C-alpha cells in the first residue's frame, strides 16, 4: 500500500500538538508499532486519544476508513468523533469508530452466513433472550423454580464474555448449573437463535471472533483494511474483547502491529463483569517491542490528594507502575481528611452537616459527591440530606426506596399493615412466581369489583369457595395464611423480626438468593438495610408513613444537587469535594469480594479506593465509624487497612482513630448477625468535634502462631499481627482480620 505520509502535506499547521505536554505529545507522535499509553487519572487521556486519531489523518498516514477506533460507550464514541472533527476542521466521515459491540455488529452483517445467519439477523433485547431461554429450559425438562432462567443466562453470558462457544467449553470452564446440563442448554439456546436468524448481545463479539479464528482469508482482509487500531479504556476489556483485538492487531512480519491501547491498570475495577486486568499487564508480551508512554501529570487534583492516592496504590503488586504528579501550578490544597466517628449515625450527620456548611459558603452542590462502596449505604445519607433539605441525586442507580426489591418488600409490609391496599397486594401476589397467572388475577379482580371488597378479601373467598384451579388455589391459600401469621406476629415479635420472617417465608429472599446475576447480592444487601431502617421506628405504621413522605419529598425546583453513588459508578467523574464514608474492614475492602477472590480481589478493592480519592479536585474527606448498624444489628468495626496505607504526611486526622475502640463484648467487624440490642455506648472522650470511644488498657500481645478461639469463627491460628489487629487462619471460616480483644488463647 502507498505510504500516504509522503503524498501531500497536512492541510493545516500542527498547532494541535502545541497544546500537549511532552508526555502527551510522545503518545500522539509515536504512531508506528504497538504502543501502550498508561494514562493516570486526570492526565488527559481523551485528549491524547483523539489528537492521535486526528494526527494520523492529518499526516496522511491513513484514510478515515483505515483506522479502527474502539470505545466502551456510545457517549465516548460521540465525543471522540466531535473532537477529531474539531481538529480536522471538518466533519470526520467514513470512520470505523464505535463501541466493541457496535463495530462487531457491523462486521457480523458482512459475514453472517459464516455463522449460520443472514445479514438481516435480529439482535434480541434482554426480555426476548429470557423468553427464548425459558423455552429451551422447558423443552429440556428443567425445573425453573429450582434453576431460575436468570442464573442460566448469567452462566451463558459469562461463557460468551470469555469467548467460549458450546464446543469450546472445557471441563474446567463447565458449570454445575441444572445438574451439569448448562452446556447442553447453551448449545440448544444457540441453535434456537440460529433458527430465528437472531443473535443476542454477547453473540455480536463471539460470532465475529469465531469468524476471524476460522477463516484466515477474512482476517487477512481486515489486516489489509485497518492500518491503525486505537483502543480506549483497555484495562476494562474482557476475554472476548481481548481476543478480537489481538486477532486484528497481531500481523505477520514485516507489517507492524500499529495498535495503540490507552488505559490505566490502577483503575481496573470491573472484574465482576468480566474485565481482566491481565490484558493490560501482558501488553508487552502480546506485542514484543511495544513502546510504553506514561501520562503522570494530573490536571485535576491538588498535590495532597495525588500524593495520598499514589501512596495507597503503590501497595499493589499487580501493576505496571506510575506516580501521579500535579500538572497545574495552583496545586496546593488541603490534606486528605480522615474523620473517625463513634457510629454510622454520627457519620451521616457529619457528612450532612459539612455539606450544609459548604452550601452556606456558596459551594456549588453539583460539585459535591458522596461515594460509597455498596449501594445499601446510600439510604442513611439520602435520609439525612432530605432532613436537611439538601437536594441530591443518585447517579447510576435508583434512590433507595425506588429500587424494585425495596418496592416489593414495602408492598408486603403495606399489605400486613393495611389489608385493603389493593395496589400493594397486586404487586406481590405473584412475586415470587406462585403460578397465579392472568386467569387467577382476573378472577380476583372480577369478584372484588362485583362484591365491592378489597382484592385480599376476594382472594380469601376464592380460596374458601374453591373458585380456582387446585394449584393456584393452594399457592394463594399459603400466601394468605402467611399474611395472617405475619400480622399476628406484630404485637409480640415486633415489626423488625416480622419483616425478616415474612421475606423469608414468602420465598422473596430465596428468589434473590437463587438469582445468579451480578446484581443479586446487592439486592439482598438492600433488603437487609431495609430491616435496619425499620428498627429506627417504633411501629410499622410509623415507618410506612415516613417512607411515603420521603418519596414525596424530592424533585424540588433547585436543580443543582449533591451526587450520591457507588465508587464503581464514579469512575470517569470528578468533583470539587468528595466524601468517602464507610472505610472499615468488611465494608471496604468488601468481605464478600475478599472471600471470593483473595489477594487478587484485595488489589482491586485498593484500586477502587484509588479511584475514589482521585475523583476529588480540591477536598477529599474519608470517614469510618467504630460501630455500624447493619440490618437492625449493631456491629463493631475495625478501620480499613487502606487507612493505614495512606501516607501520613498528606493526611489530617480528626476524631481519634488511635484511641477508638469498638463496643466491648461485641463480635468482630462484619462477622455476622447477632441479636438486636440497644445503643449503650461505653464512656467516651472528646476528640476534636467528635465523640469517640475510649480505648481500654492494652492487653498482652498475642504472638504469631498462637492457637486462639473466636465465638463466631471458632478455632484458628494467628498468622499475622498489627497492633491490636490479628490475621487469623480459622479452621473452618478461613482467613479473617479480628481485634485481639475478641479472641482468647485456646
Amino acid at each position: 500500500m502507498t505510504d500516504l505520509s509522503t503524498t501531500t502535506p497536512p492541510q493545516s499547521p500542527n498547532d494541535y500538538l502545541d497544546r500537549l505536554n511532552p508526555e502527551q505529545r510522545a503518545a500522539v507522535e509515536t504512531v508506528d508499532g504497538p504502543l501502550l499509553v498508561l494514562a493516570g487519572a486526570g492526565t488527559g487521556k481523551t485528549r491524547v486519544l483523539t489528537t492521535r486519531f486526528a494526527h494520523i489523518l492529518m499526516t496522511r498516514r491513513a484514510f478515515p476508513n483505515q483506522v479502527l477506533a474502539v470505545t466502551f460507550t456510545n457517549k465516548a464514541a460521540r465525543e471522540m468523533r466531535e473532537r477529531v472533527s474539531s481538529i480536522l476542521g471538518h466533519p470526520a466521515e467514513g470512520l470505523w469508530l464505535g463501541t466493541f459491540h457496535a463495530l462487531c455488529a457491523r462486521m457480523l452483517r458482512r459475514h453472517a452466513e459464516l455463522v449460520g445467519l443472514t445479514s438481516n439477523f435480529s439482535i434480541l433485547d434482554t426480555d426476548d433472550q429470557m423468553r427464548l431461554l425459558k423455552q429451551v429450559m422447558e423443552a429440556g425438562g428443567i425445573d425453573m423454580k429450582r434453576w431460575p432462567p436468570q442464573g442460566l443466562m448469567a452462566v451463558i453470558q459469562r461463557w460468551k464474555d470469555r469467548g467460549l462457544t458450546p464446543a469450546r467449553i472445557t471441563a474446567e470452564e463447565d458449570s454445575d448449573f441444572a445438574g451439569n446440563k448448562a452446556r447442553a442448554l447453551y448449545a440448544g439456546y444457540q441453535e434456537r437463535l440460529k433458527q430465528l436468524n437472531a443473535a443476542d448481545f454477547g453473540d455480536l463479539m463471539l460470532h465475529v471472533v469465531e469468524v476471524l479464528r476460522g477463516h484466515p482469508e477474512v482476517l487477512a482482509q481486515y489486516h489489509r483494511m485497518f492500518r491503525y487500531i486505537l483502543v480506549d479504556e483497555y484495562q476494562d476489556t474482557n476475554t472476548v474483547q481481548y481476543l478480537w483485538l489481538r486477532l486484528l492487531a497481531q500481523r505477520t512480519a514485516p507489517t507492524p502491529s500499529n495498535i495503540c491501547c490507552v488505559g490505566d491498570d490502577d483503575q481496573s475495577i470491573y472484574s465482576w463483569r468480566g474485565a481482566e486486568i491481565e490484558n493490560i499487564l501482558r501488553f508487552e508480551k502480546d506485542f514484543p517491542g511495544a513502546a510504553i508512554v506514561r501520562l503522570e501529570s494530573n490536571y485535576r487534583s491538588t498535590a495532597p490528594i495525588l500524593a495520598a492516592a499514589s501512596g495507597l496504590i503503590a501497595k499493589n503488586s499487580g501493576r505496571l507502575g506510575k506516580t501521579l504528579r500535579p500538572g497545574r501550578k495552583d496545586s496546593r490544597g488541603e490534606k486528605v481528611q480522615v474523620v473517625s466517628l463513634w457510629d454510622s449515625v454520627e457519620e451521616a450527620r457529619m457528612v450532612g452537616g459539612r455539606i450544609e456548611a459548604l452550601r452556606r459558603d456558596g459551594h456549588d452542590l453539583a460539585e459535591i459527591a458522596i461515594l460509597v462502596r455498596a449501594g445499601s449505604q446510600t439510604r442513611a445519607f439520602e435520609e439525612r440530606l432530605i432532613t436537611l433539605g439538601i437536594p441530591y441525586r443518585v447517579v447510576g442507580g435508583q434512590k433507595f426506596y425506588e429500587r424494585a426489591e425495596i418496592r416489593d418488600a414495602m408492598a408486603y409490609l403495606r399489605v400486613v399493615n393495611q389489608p385493603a391496599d389493593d395496589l400493594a397486594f397486586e404487586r406481590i401476589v405473584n412475586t415470587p412466581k406462585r403460578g397465579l397467572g392472568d386467569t387467577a388475577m382476573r378472577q380476583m379482580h372480577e369478584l372484588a369489583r362485583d362484591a365491592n371488597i378489597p382484592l385480599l378479601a376476594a382472594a380469601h373467598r376464592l380460596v374458601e369457595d374453591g373458585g380456582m384451579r387446585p394449584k393456584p388455589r393452594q399457592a394463594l391459600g399459603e400466601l394468605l395464611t402467611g399474611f395472617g401469621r405475619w400480622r399476628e406476629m406484630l404485637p409480640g415479635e415486633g415489626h423488625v423480626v416480622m419483616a425478616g420472617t415474612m421475606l423469608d417465608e414468602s420465598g422473596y429472599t430465596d428468589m434473590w438468593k437463587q438469582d445468579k446475576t451480578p446484581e443479586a447480592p446487592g439486592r439482598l444487601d438492600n433488603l437487609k438495610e431495609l430491616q435496619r431502617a425499620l428498627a429506627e421506628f417504633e411501629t410499622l405504621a410509623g415507618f410506612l408513613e415516613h417512607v411515603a413522605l420521603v418519596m414525596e419529598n424530592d424533585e424540588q425546583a433547585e436543580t443543582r444537587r449533591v451526587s450520591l453513588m457507588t465508587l464503581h459508578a464514579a469512575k470517569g467523574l470528578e468533583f470539587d469535594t468528595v466524601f468517602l464514608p464507610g472505610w472499615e474492614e468488611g465494608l471496604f475492602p468488601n468481605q464478600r469480594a475478599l472471600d471470593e477472590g483473595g489477594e487478587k480481589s484485595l488489589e482491586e478493592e485498593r484500586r477502587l479506593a484509588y479511584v475514589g480519592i482521585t475523583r476529588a479536585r480540591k477536598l477529599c474527606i474519608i470517614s469510618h465509624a467504630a460501630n455500624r448498624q447493619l440490618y437492625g444489628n449493631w456491629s463493631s468495626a475495625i478501620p480499613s487497612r487502606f487507612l493505614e496505607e495512606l501516607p501520613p504526611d498528606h493526611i489530617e486526622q480528626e476524631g481519634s482513630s488511635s484511641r477508638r475502640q469498638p463496643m466491648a463484648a461485641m463480635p468482630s467487624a462484619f462477622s455476622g448477625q447477632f441479636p438486636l440490642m440497644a445503643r449503650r455506648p461505653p464512656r467516651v472522650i472528646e476528640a476534636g468535634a467528635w465523640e469517640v470511644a475510649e480505648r481500654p488498657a492494652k492487653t498482652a500481645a498475642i504472638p504469631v502462631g498462637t492457637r486462639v478461639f473466636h465465638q463466631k469463627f471458632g478455632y484458628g491460628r494467628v498468622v499475622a499481627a498489627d497492633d491490636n489487629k490479628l490475621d487469623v487462619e480459622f479452621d473452618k471460616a478461613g482467613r479473617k482480620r479480628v481485634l485481639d480483644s475478641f479472641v482468647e488463647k485456646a
Side-chain angles (χ1 to χ4, degrees), residues 117-182:
L117 302 173
T118 63
S119 61
N120 64 340
F121 64 85
S122 301
I123 301 174
L124 301 188
D125 60 22
T126 304
D127 289 341
D128 288 336
Q129 292 175 40
M130 195 57 64
R131 253 194 311 272
L132 183 60
L133 189 61
K134 287 178 180 177
Q135 293 174 13
V136 173
M137 294 179 72
E138 188 175 357
I142 304 299
D143 182 356
M144 284 185 274
K145 289 185 177 179
R146 183 180 180 189
W147 305 103
Q150 294 88 343
L152 178 58
M153 181 58 73
V155 171
I156 290 175
Q157 292 303 329
R158 193 157 53 244
W159 279 332
K160 291 186 178 185
D161 286 344
R162 296 190 63 78
L164 299 173
T165 62
R168 290 184 182 273
I169 296 172
T170 63
E172 291 75 19
E173 295 279 0
D174 206 352
S175 168
D176 60 0
F177 186 93
N180 297 311
K181 294 181 180 178

Side-chain angles (χ1 to χ4, degrees), residues 716-727:
R717 191 172 301 279
V718 177
V719 294
D722 181 10
D723 192 28
N724 66 323
K725 294 179 281 294
L726 305 176
D727 287 339

Side-chain angles (χ1 to χ4, degrees), residues 439-452 455 458:
T439 300
M441 292 305 302
R442 185 172 58 253
Q443 288 177 294
M444 281 186 277
H445 276 289
E446 289 175 351
L447 179 56
R449 185 171 56 252
D450 293 343
N452 195 26
L455 274 179

Side-chain angles (χ1 to χ4, degrees), residues 234 237-246 279 282 286:
Y234 188 57
T237 53
N238 61 26
T239 301
V240 73
Q241 292 162 344
Y242 164 79
L243 292 172
W244 179 69
L245 288 169
R246 194 177 66 177
N279 294 348
R282 64 171 171 239
D286 289 335

Side-chain angles (χ1 to χ4, degrees), residues 619-633:
L619 183 61
C620 180
I621 302 169
I622 302 171
S623 59
H624 64 101
N627 303 282
R628 187 166 296 275
Q629 194 178 20
L630 294 173
Y631 325 139
N633 303 312

Side-chain angles (χ1 to χ4, degrees), residues 488-695:
E488 290 173 357
M489 287 180 63
L490 274 176
E493 301 289 343
H495 55 290
V496 178
V497 174
M498 182 279 297
T501 303
M502 178 187 65
L503 292 174
D504 288 342
E505 292 184 351
S506 66
Y508 192 77
T509 302
D510 193 57
M511 179 184 79
W512 289 117
K513 287 181 178 178
Q514 297 298 323
D515 191 304
K516 302 303 180 184
T517 61
E519 295 80 16
R523 294 186 189 274
L524 288 167
D525 287 344
N526 290 337
L527 290 174
K528 293 174 182 177
E529 176 63 18
L530 178 66
Q531 295 174 58
R532 194 198 81 73
L534 276 163
E536 297 177 2
F537 294 83
E538 293 185 3
T539 65
L540 176 59
F543 171 71
L544 293 174
E545 180 178 322
H546 164 77
V547 174
L549 294 174
V550 167
M551 297 291 284
E552 285 295 321
N553 177 279
D554 206 19
E555 308 308 324
Q556 302 300 319
E558 191 171 355
T559 57
R560 308 299 286 179
R561 300 172 182 274
V562 172
S563 295
L564 181 56
M565 70 192 88
T566 64
L567 286 160
H568 284 100
K571 186 172 176 291
L573 304 178
E574 55 187 76
F575 305 89
D576 284 347
T577 300
V578 168
F579 291 89
L580 299 171
W583 280 42
E584 298 135 24
E585 286 293 306
L587 185 55
F588 192 39
N590 181 269
Q591 190 61 50
R592 185 187 300 120
L594 299 186
D595 289 344
E596 294 175 356
E599 186 66 26
K600 184 176 179 180
S601 289
L602 174 60
E603 295 216 342
E604 179 158 331
E605 292 286 297
R606 191 176 286 113
R607 293 194 293 271
L608 197 55
Y610 169 85
V611 166
I613 294 172
T614 54
R615 298 312 93 195
R617 295 193 195 101
K618 300 177 181 178
L619 183 61
C620 180
I621 302 169
I622 302 171
S623 59
H624 64 101
N627 303 282
R628 187 166 296 275
Q629 194 178 20
L630 294 173
Y631 325 139
N633 303 312
W634 281 99
S635 169
S636 58
I638 299 175
S640 170
R641 68 191 74 188
F642 298 153
L643 294 174
E644 299 174 3
E645 296 172 354
L646 294 171
D649 290 345
H650 304 285
I651 300 301
E652 182 179 280
Q653 296 194 27
E654 297 186 28
S656 180
S657 59
S658 63
R659 302 181 71 182
R660 184 186 45 72
Q661 180 75 1
M663 285 185 185
M666 294 184 76
S668 180
F670 305 96
S671 61
Q673 301 297 311
F674 42 87
L676 180 66
M677 58 187 296
R679 288 181 59 200
R680 299 179 62 185
R683 184 168 63 89
V684 297
I685 59 174
E686 292 291 334
W690 312 106
E691 287 188 337
V692 294
E694 184 177 15
R695 183 173 181 169

